[in-house]
Amino acid sequence: ATAKRTVIYDKAVPQLKVTSPNGNSLVTKTDIQLGGKAWDSYGLKESGSVQIVVKDSSTGAVKRTYTPAVTVATSEPESDNWNQTIKLAASGTAGQAGYESALTDGMYTIEIKAIDKVGKISNPVVTKSVQIDTIAPTVSVKDEDMPTTLQTEGTNFNFKGTASDENGSEVKKVEISFDNQNWQQAVGTDSWSYRSIFAEEKVAEEKVFETEGQKTLYVKATDNAGNVSSSCKKTFTFDKAYPVGKIKDSSGIDKTNSPFFEGGEFSLILEGTDSYGVSSMKLIQKNGEDKREQTLDISAGTVKTVSGLPWRNANEEVQTGAYEYSLVITDKAGKTTTVSTTVSIDKTAPVV
């Protein structure tokens, strides 16, 4: 009798291409999407022809295994013929069959291989390095690094701060905004800075520095996994100039720094202006050792007429002499300007 034996001749290993994700490494905060093509000229294994193993990179411990469904192909298919989603969250019930523990933040290695009918394995085994990072970075600005009102008088200021992504995927970018809508990227990451242009014609998008007043700096950091920090908020006062003051005589003529004479009791017209706003005005009178002052009521405006000068004791006659007057104006940012003049009282008639 003639004996028959079937011999399988398969000289090629199966072929495997992983099309998703691109590259050999991945940083993610969401489920991992794998996809690709597998084929073999003789035929792939009937089930489990693509095998995926997820390992903890630090210990080598196997965390997950998958055998996705594969559409049979003996030559390279035009599109992916297998896909697999690796969920980060736990699935199933702990202690029962099919339970999968969560993939926590850290480094993982994913090994993917194709197997044909005779057990040959694709070569090389495709390896993907994956970092899971679900924790947002942090960003901070110190109070002492915010501008004072004196530092906003120029055309720009260099804001700065720090950001970190401890045990994560590292900070990718830091962005700042002054309206919490339009964001500009800062220079640097762990230690960052941003030069803000205060000149009106150069304000980047926001136009927030067209007016003076309280402003808010918003800062956020994004890591390489796409996690975004909570916004860090710091307020500061944008005040470009000191207040301006004028001392005028009763007829409205500016006598600031211009001494003048009066023949008796007189009035002064006092003016205080500031583009951000005047907070207070105070008039000081000095005559020798005698010094008197009064905080003016500016609730109805910052142009005040002060009558009955010079100030003196009740029922006291106006005395001749030089009276120095100083007007102290403080704006809402706390900046102070002082303007002065001298009024000399001359009650003696000229001799002809």
Side-chain angles (χ1 to χ4, degrees):
T2 301
K4 293 183 178 180
R5 180 176 295 176
T6 302
V7 177
I8 299 174
Y9 178 60
D10 183 10
K11 64 179 181 178
V13 297
Q15 302 298 303
L16 175 68
K17 287 184 178 180
V18 178
T19 58
S20 178
N22 291 322
N24 294 323
S25 61
L26 172 69
V27 179
T28 185
K29 64 175 182 176
T30 59
D31 295 344
I32 303 166
Q33 303 294 330
L34 295 176
K37 304 175 183 181
W39 71 97
D40 185 78
S41 55
Y42 177 61
L44 294 169
K45 185 179 178 182
E46 290 185 2
S47 63
S49 57
V50 170
Q51 294 183 3
I52 302 170
V53 179
V54 182
K55 296 180 179 179
D56 185 311
S57 294
S58 61
T59 65
V62 175
K63 307 298 289 185
R64 304 273 185 88
T65 58
Y66 300 93
T67 53
V70 181
T71 302
V72 175
T74 55
S75 61
E76 182 176 355
E78 293 183 0
S79 58
D80 291 357
N81 64 343
W82 65 269
N83 291 279
Q84 179 66 52
T85 299
I86 299 176
K87 294 184 176 297
L88 305 190
S91 63
T93 303
Q96 295 186 8
Y99 172 71
E100 291 182 338
S101 61
L103 296 178
T104 57
D105 283 22
M107 297 298 299
Y108 296 86
T109 300
I110 300 177
E111 298 176 351
I112 311 162
K113 60 185 177 181
I115 306 171
D116 68 11
K117 285 182 178 180
V118 298
K120 287 184 177 181
I121 297 173
S122 56
N123 186 28
V125 174
V126 176
T127 300
K128 300 282 185 179
S129 176
V130 177
Q131 181 178 14
I132 297 174
D133 178 10
T134 60
I135 300 174
T138 59
V139 64
S140 64
V141 181
K142 294 180 180 179
D143 290 340
E144 56 264 35
D145 289 331
M146 293 298 291
T148 65
T149 54
L150 296 179
Q151 292 172 311
T152 62
E153 290 177 22
T155 58
N156 57 65
F157 180 79
N158 195 46
F159 291 93
K160 62 182 179 178
T162 58
S164 65
D165 193 36
E166 188 175 357
N167 300 321
S169 56
E170 299 185 350
V171 177
K172 181 179 181 180
K173 64 179 178 179
V174 174
E175 297 170 286
I176 70 100
S177 174
F178 296 100
D179 62 2
N180 207 23
Q181 295 180 5
N182 297 292
W183 295 88
Q184 305 295 322
Q185 188 166 338
V187 176
T189 52
D190 295 349
S191 178
W192 57 267
S193 64
Y194 179 84
R195 183 165 294 279
S196 184
I197 307 298
F198 292 148
E200 293 179 9
E201 69 275 10
K202 294 184 178 179
V203 176
E205 284 99 17
E206 289 103 355
K207 302 295 184 183
V208 292
F209 296 118
E210 290 182 343
T211 58
E212 295 178 306
Q214 286 288 104
K215 307 297 179 183
T216 302
L217 170 71
Y218 301 88
V219 187
K220 65 181 180 181
T222 304
D223 65 20
N224 285 294
N227 299 298
V228 181
S229 70
S230 299
S231 181
C232 173
K233 299 194 322 185
K234 292 286 184 179
T235 58
F236 64 100
T237 300
F238 178 59
D239 185 23
K240 295 188 290 186
Y242 279 80
V244 175
K246 291 182 180 181
I247 301 176
K248 298 180 178 181
D249 64 16
S250 57
S251 60
I253 298 174
D254 188 0
K255 295 295 184 178
T256 307
N257 298 321
S258 298
F260 64 101
F261 288 87
E262 291 285 359
E265 188 175 273
F266 62 94
S267 300
L268 290 177
I269 300 173
L270 310 173
E271 295 182 4
T273 58
D274 185 78
S275 52
Y276 177 37
V278 174
S279 174
S280 66
M281 292 172 58
K282 178 172 66 175
L283 181 64
I284 301 171
Q285 171 188 287
K286 290 179 66 177
N287 175 236
E289 297 298 320
D290 183 59
K291 180 180 178 181
R292 307 175 189 229
E293 61 182 57
Q294 179 181 325
T295 298
L296 308 177
D297 180 7
I298 60 171
S299 58
T302 58
V303 177
K304 305 293 295 183
T305 298
V306 179
S307 302
L309 297 173
W311 290 320
R312 55 201 183 276
N313 297 329
N315 301 318
E316 183 180 350
E317 292 292 325
V318 174
Q319 302 297 315
T320 60
Y323 294 82
E324 298 176 9
Y325 290 92
S326 297
L327 175 62
V328 182
I329 309 108
T330 303
D331 70 12
K332 290 183 178 179
K335 290 181 179 178
T336 298
T337 295
T338 300
V339 294
S340 303
T341 196
T342 300
V343 181
S344 296
I345 303 295
D346 182 4
K347 300 170 63 177
T348 303
V351 176
V352 178

mmCIF file of all heavy atoms in Angstrom, residues 3 13 45 52 108 129 241 317 322 330 337:
data_model
loop_
_atom_site.group_PDB
_atom_site.id
_atom_site.type_symbol
_atom_site.label_atom_id
_atom_site.label_comp_id
_atom_site.label_asym_id
_atom_site.label_seq_id
_atom_site.Cartn_x
_atom_site.Cartn_y
_atom_site.Cartn_z
ATOM 1 N N ALA A 3 1.570 4.963 1.217
ATOM 2 C CA ALA A 3 1.230 5.888 2.306
ATOM 3 C C ALA A 3 1.228 7.318 1.781
ATOM 4 O O ALA A 3 2.083 7.686 0.972
ATOM 5 C CB ALA A 3 2.238 5.751 3.454
ATOM 6 N N VAL A 13 6.768 34.439 6.812
ATOM 7 C CA VAL A 13 6.124 34.805 8.082
ATOM 8 C C VAL A 13 4.965 35.740 7.774
ATOM 9 O O VAL A 13 4.945 36.402 6.728
ATOM 10 C CB VAL A 13 7.114 35.502 9.042
ATOM 11 C CG1 VAL A 13 8.247 34.565 9.427
ATOM 12 C CG2 VAL A 13 7.658 36.792 8.440
ATOM 13 N N LYS A 45 -3.877 32.596 11.223
ATOM 14 C CA LYS A 45 -4.498 31.698 12.197
ATOM 15 C C LYS A 45 -6.000 31.977 12.246
ATOM 16 O O LYS A 45 -6.433 33.133 12.164
ATOM 17 C CB LYS A 45 -3.855 31.946 13.566
ATOM 18 C CG LYS A 45 -4.298 31.014 14.663
ATOM 19 C CD LYS A 45 -3.556 31.370 15.953
ATOM 20 C CE LYS A 45 -4.023 30.467 17.093
ATOM 21 N NZ LYS A 45 -3.343 30.823 18.367
ATOM 22 N N ILE A 52 -2.357 41.146 21.154
ATOM 23 C CA ILE A 52 -1.895 42.395 21.752
ATOM 24 C C ILE A 52 -1.672 42.165 23.241
ATOM 25 O O ILE A 52 -2.568 41.653 23.936
ATOM 26 C CB ILE A 52 -2.921 43.527 21.539
ATOM 27 C CG1 ILE A 52 -3.183 43.734 20.041
ATOM 28 C CG2 ILE A 52 -2.456 44.827 22.197
ATOM 29 C CD1 ILE A 52 -4.359 44.649 19.747
ATOM 30 N N TYR A 108 3.835 52.161 29.892
ATOM 31 C CA TYR A 108 3.411 50.823 29.464
ATOM 32 C C TYR A 108 4.050 50.489 28.124
ATOM 33 O O TYR A 108 4.373 51.379 27.325
ATOM 34 C CB TYR A 108 1.889 50.748 29.345
ATOM 35 C CG TYR A 108 1.172 50.941 30.658
ATOM 36 C CD1 TYR A 108 0.870 52.222 31.120
ATOM 37 C CD2 TYR A 108 0.812 49.857 31.441
ATOM 38 C CE1 TYR A 108 0.230 52.410 32.337
ATOM 39 C CE2 TYR A 108 0.160 50.036 32.658
ATOM 40 C CZ TYR A 108 -0.122 51.320 33.102
ATOM 41 O OH TYR A 108 -0.757 51.492 34.304
ATOM 42 N N SER A 129 5.519 52.238 22.901
ATOM 43 C CA SER A 129 5.702 52.746 24.254
ATOM 44 C C SER A 129 4.612 53.775 24.543
ATOM 45 O O SER A 129 4.440 54.727 23.777
ATOM 46 C CB SER A 129 7.087 53.380 24.400
ATOM 47 O OG SER A 129 7.240 53.960 25.676
ATOM 48 N N ALA A 241 0.036 106.781 34.702
ATOM 49 C CA ALA A 241 0.571 108.105 35.023
ATOM 50 C C ALA A 241 0.173 108.560 36.419
ATOM 51 O O ALA A 241 -0.779 108.041 37.019
ATOM 52 C CB ALA A 241 0.069 109.119 34.000
ATOM 53 N N GLU A 317 -8.343 138.295 62.686
ATOM 54 C CA GLU A 317 -8.172 139.051 61.461
ATOM 55 C C GLU A 317 -7.142 138.374 60.553
ATOM 56 O O GLU A 317 -6.274 137.638 61.012
ATOM 57 C CB GLU A 317 -7.695 140.479 61.792
ATOM 58 C CG GLU A 317 -8.715 141.330 62.506
ATOM 59 C CD GLU A 317 -9.900 141.673 61.616
ATOM 60 O OE1 GLU A 317 -9.688 141.855 60.390
ATOM 61 O OE2 GLU A 317 -11.034 141.733 62.123
ATOM 62 N N ALA A 322 3.399 135.543 54.178
ATOM 63 C CA ALA A 322 3.398 134.554 53.083
ATOM 64 C C ALA A 322 2.756 133.256 53.558
ATOM 65 O O ALA A 322 3.157 132.689 54.584
ATOM 66 C CB ALA A 322 4.828 134.306 52.605
ATOM 67 N N THR A 330 -4.155 112.124 45.346
ATOM 68 C CA THR A 330 -3.852 110.692 45.311
ATOM 69 C C THR A 330 -4.816 110.015 44.364
ATOM 70 O O THR A 330 -6.036 110.217 44.472
ATOM 71 C CB THR A 330 -3.967 110.073 46.719
ATOM 72 O OG1 THR A 330 -3.097 110.771 47.611
ATOM 73 C CG2 THR A 330 -3.592 108.600 46.682
ATOM 74 N N THR A 337 0.599 113.049 43.835
ATOM 75 C CA THR A 337 1.246 114.233 43.266
ATOM 76 C C THR A 337 0.969 115.418 44.181
ATOM 77 O O THR A 337 -0.154 115.579 44.674
ATOM 78 C CB THR A 337 0.711 114.529 41.853
ATOM 79 O OG1 THR A 337 1.075 113.464 40.981
ATOM 80 C CG2 THR A 337 1.290 115.835 41.306
#
